[in-house]
């Protein structure tokens, strides 16, 4: 990821600095990147077109199949703008069954999601959990409901029951960057697991906290304590809809606490 960002920055700098000799500049940037020892065995593919003329500006291994990883987000975003438009907004519906009498709902409250990825998130003030919940409470009270004599039913059926595509690596699925996409999402379908190292090398670590707490799901911690200068290397293994997950790896002995982020097996 670090090298991908570096290449992206180099490409932007070259493209905007001077259009003349862009092919040579791209070749120099790519050669510089490939000369790094950490990329000695890397596979790299780069294909650049002039958007106005469709002229090939640069082509290096364009026919080699590679996993796009986070670069796929660019294609996804472009497709979303093309298909949905720049004014598209997700919706989440509140509805109810039964009747309302004297402020009491004799029936069920339904919360139906249509894929909004921001609900309960921390990136935007309007999407924070307290803001969203307070907005829902205000909407419920506006129609005269003060008490619910029934159930609150979460409906995510607008999306597939399979939240992640086939072929994703097992090492990715249980971690935050492998979070599934559901009809009803919450807190970006992410939780933070904080681990405390043991007092000596080889001891198992302890779980300090899980935020937000996972309901109906147990995490079995198998993370060991490594040397003080060891890499922080721990991964969560838990598929969608699981009731049990595992976390394996090592954390440094000197660490006061190491937080890794996981994907909720089911945000509902």
């Amino acid at each position: 990821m670090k090298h991908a960002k570096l290449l992206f920055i180099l490409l932007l700098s070259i493209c905007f600095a001077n259009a003349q000799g862009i092919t040579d500049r791209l070749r120099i940037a790519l050669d510089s990147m490939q000369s790094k020892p950490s990329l000695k065995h890397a596979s790299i593919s780069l294909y650049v077109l002039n958007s106005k003329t469709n002229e090939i500006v640069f082509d290096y291994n364009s026919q080699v199949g590679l996993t796009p990883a986070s670069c796929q987000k660019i294609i996804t975003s472009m497709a979303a703008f093309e298909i949905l438009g720049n004014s598209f907004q997700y919706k989440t519906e509140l509805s109810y069954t039964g009747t309302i009498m004297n402020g009491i709902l004799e029936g069920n409250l339904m919360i139906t999601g249509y894929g909004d990825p921001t609900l309960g998130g921390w990136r935007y003030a309007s999407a924070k959990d307290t803001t969203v919940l307070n907005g829902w409470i205000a909407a419920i009270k506006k129609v005269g409901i003060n008490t619910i004599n029934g159930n609150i039913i979460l409906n995510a059926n607008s999306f597939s029951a399979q939240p992640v595509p086939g072929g994703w690596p097992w090492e990715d699925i249980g971690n935050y960057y492998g979070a599934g996409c559901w009809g009803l999402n919450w807190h970006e379908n992410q939780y933070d697991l904080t681990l405390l190292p043991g007092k000596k090398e080889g001891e198992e670590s302890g779980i300090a906290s899980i935020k937000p707490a996972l309901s109906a799901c147990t995490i079995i911690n198998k993370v060991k304590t490594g040397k003080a200068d060891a890499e922080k290397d721990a991964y969560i293994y838990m598929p969608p809809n699981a009731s049990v997950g595992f976390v394996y790896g090592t954390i440094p002995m000197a660490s006061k606490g190491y937080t890794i982020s996981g994907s909720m097996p089911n945000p509902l």
Side-chain angles (χ1 to χ4, degrees):
M1 180 62 70
K2 181 178 179 181
H3 292 298
K5 290 181 179 178
L6 177 61
L7 178 59
F8 184 67
I9 293 172
L10 286 172
L11 293 178
L12 284 179
S13 301
I14 293 171
C15 291
F16 286 106
N18 191 343
Q20 185 177 4
I22 184 67
T23 301
D24 291 336
R25 291 171 180 266
L26 286 170
R27 183 175 292 106
I28 292 171
L30 184 61
D31 289 344
S32 175
M33 184 176 177
Q34 289 180 306
S35 67
K36 296 182 180 299
S38 59
L39 296 178
K40 181 178 180 180
H41 302 291
S43 297
I44 299 175
S45 175
L46 182 62
Y47 187 69
V48 180
L49 282 176
N50 184 317
S51 61
K52 294 182 179 180
T53 65
N54 284 330
E55 176 189 2
I56 299 175
V57 177
F58 191 83
D59 185 346
Y60 179 81
N61 285 344
S62 63
Q63 299 303 308
V64 175
L66 299 175
T67 302
S70 289
C71 293
Q72 184 71 27
K73 296 173 185 176
I74 300 174
I75 302 171
T76 303
S77 299
M78 293 172 61
F81 272 112
E82 177 70 21
I83 297 171
L84 303 175
N86 59 8
S87 61
F88 173 81
Q89 288 186 320
Y90 288 95
K91 67 177 180 178
T92 302
E93 293 180 343
L94 301 182
S95 58
Y96 65 88
T97 60
T99 58
I100 303 171
M101 294 185 63
N102 300 321
I104 301 175
L105 170 61
E106 295 289 346
N108 299 323
L109 177 69
M110 306 282 293
I111 301 177
T112 303
Y114 292 91
D116 189 340
T118 68
L119 291 179
W122 60 90
R123 303 179 192 275
Y124 311 103
S126 61
K128 289 183 178 179
D129 51 4
T130 53
T131 303
V132 172
L133 292 175
N134 288 336
W136 288 353
I137 292 171
I140 293 168
K141 288 184 174 180
K142 189 175 181 179
V143 297
I145 300 174
N146 296 313
T147 303
I148 300 173
N149 190 13
N151 297 313
I152 297 177
I153 300 175
L154 305 177
N155 180 7
N157 293 333
S158 61
F159 272 40
S160 169
Q162 181 176 327
V164 298
W168 274 20
W170 175 234
E171 193 174 59
D172 288 354
I173 292 174
N175 300 280
Y176 76 97
Y177 45 82
C181 184
W182 308 73
L184 192 58
N185 307 287
W186 190 256
H187 201 259
E188 297 192 8
N189 301 339
Q190 173 182 322
Y191 65 92
D192 294 328
L193 172 66
T194 301
L195 302 171
L196 294 176
K199 295 182 179 180
K200 60 182 181 179
E201 184 180 348
E203 284 189 353
E204 289 191 357
S205 63
I207 295 178
S209 64
I210 301 176
K211 298 180 180 179
L214 298 177
S215 60
C217 184
T218 301
I219 293 182
I220 298 175
N221 177 28
K222 294 295 184 180
V223 174
K224 301 290 186 179
T225 303
K227 297 179 180 180
D229 59 350
E231 293 289 334
K232 297 176 181 179
D233 186 24
Y235 295 91
I236 301 170
Y237 298 88
M238 182 158 50
N241 295 309
S243 58
V244 178
F246 298 83
V247 54
Y248 283 93
T250 59
I251 57 174
M253 187 190 313
S255 174
K256 294 181 179 179
Y258 177 44
T259 299
I260 58 177
S261 296
S263 61
M264 295 180 182
N266 192 332
L268 304 184

